[in-house]
């Protein structure tokens, strides 16, 4: 554990910023996974009936009904998407912060060379070490956040598509039944 803390400490301010971003990102990722599980157990089973009830009560064009279905489903899923932008931002910003640390470290190394020449390699190595540590930290933070964002985003899109397909299948059956009753009423009348 001390090794990890020492490693982060060698990254200076950039290292601490990256670690803070990492903790924030992981907290959001865990929150989104739990939210998705809870949503699938509590909201999604009732969502199809709720959307169908709202849409069937309107007597409008089929295209308007289809758009209403998509809107209702997007509204139901919108709480799940909150926070994902932060995970995406952490995934894209952390490598840039790592690169910033790399540039700062190389700058420090060349400043030492300019001041004292290559007589003291350890002074030169400190800047290079800073550069490498921040690069590693930037990548260590970015890679799992990219994977988590892509997974959560794809999973939510898949869930939305499944709900939309369920709603459209049920709605198709309801409309066929309703049209069948109308045609029976016309032929009887």
């Amino acid at each position: 554990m001390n090794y990890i803390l020492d490693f982060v400490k060698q990254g200076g301010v950039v290292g601490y910023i990256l670690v803070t971003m990492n903790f924030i990102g992981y907290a959001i990722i865990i929150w989104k996974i739990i939210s998705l599980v809870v949503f699938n157990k509590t909201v999604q089973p009732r969502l199809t009936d709720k959307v169908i009830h709202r849409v069937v009560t309107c007597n409008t064009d089929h295209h308007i009904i289809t758009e209403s279905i998509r809107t209702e489903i997007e509204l139901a899923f919108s709480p799940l998407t909150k926070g994902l932008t932060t995970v995406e931002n952490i995934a894209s910003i952390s490598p840039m912060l790592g690169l910033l640390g790399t540039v700062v470290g190389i700058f420090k190394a060349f400043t030492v060379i300019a001041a004292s020449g290559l007589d003291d390699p350890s002074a030169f190595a400190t800047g290079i070490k800073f550069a490498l540590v921040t690069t590693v930290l930037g990548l260590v933070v970015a890679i799992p956040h990219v994977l988590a964002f892509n997974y959560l985003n794809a999973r939510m899109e898949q869930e939305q598509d499944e709900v939309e397909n369920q709603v459209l299948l049920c709605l198709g059956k309801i409309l066929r039944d309703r049209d069948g009753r109308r045609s029976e009423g016309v032929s009887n009348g």
Side-chain angles (χ1 to χ4, degrees):
M1 185 69 171
N2 276 343
Y3 174 75
I4 295 172
L5 295 175
D6 289 339
F7 190 77
V8 171
K9 196 182 294 183
Q10 291 170 5
V13 174
V14 175
Y16 290 121
I17 291 171
L18 286 166
V19 168
T20 302
M21 288 171 52
N22 198 35
F23 283 121
I24 292 168
Y26 278 128
I28 293 171
I29 291 166
I30 292 167
W31 168 47
K32 290 290 110 187
I33 290 171
I34 291 170
S35 297
L36 190 59
V37 169
V38 169
F39 182 86
N40 285 339
K41 288 184 179 182
T42 60
V43 176
Q44 190 172 356
R46 300 179 312 212
L47 187 58
T48 302
D49 293 335
K50 180 181 174 185
V51 172
I52 288 176
H53 177 72
R54 284 190 180 180
V55 171
V56 168
T57 56
C58 336
N59 283 329
T60 59
D61 181 273
H62 289 289
H63 297 292
I64 294 173
I65 289 174
T66 304
E67 284 305 310
S68 297
I69 289 170
R70 288 193 178 112
T71 302
E72 289 291 329
I73 291 170
E74 285 176 15
L75 285 173
F77 276 85
S78 67
L80 292 177
T81 59
K82 288 180 181 160
L84 282 182
T85 304
T86 303
V87 173
E88 183 180 29
N89 286 337
I90 290 170
S92 61
I93 291 171
S94 56
M96 289 186 261
L97 281 173
L99 181 61
L100 175 65
T102 303
V103 171
V104 169
I106 298 296
F107 182 77
K108 285 180 182 180
F110 282 119
T111 302
V112 168
I113 290 173
S116 64
L118 290 174
D119 295 338
D120 186 12
S122 66
F124 173 74
T126 304
I128 299 298
K129 189 176 193 180
F130 179 85
L132 294 174
V133 166
T134 56
T135 303
V136 168
L137 285 173
L139 293 173
V140 164
V141 171
I143 292 169
H145 284 83
V146 168
L147 293 173
F149 173 78
N150 288 337
Y151 169 76
L152 289 169
N153 199 34
R155 181 74 190 272
M156 287 182 200
E157 285 179 12
Q158 177 187 5
E159 297 286 334
Q160 279 183 297
D161 290 344
E162 286 177 16
V163 170
E164 186 176 338
N165 288 337
Q166 289 173 357
V167 168
L168 290 174
L169 286 172
C170 290
L171 183 63
K173 184 177 182 221
I174 290 169
L175 293 176
R176 279 193 302 275
D177 291 347
R178 187 168 64 178
D179 290 344
R181 279 186 257 135
R182 281 185 189 162
S183 62
E184 285 176 11
V186 169
S187 63
N188 289 339

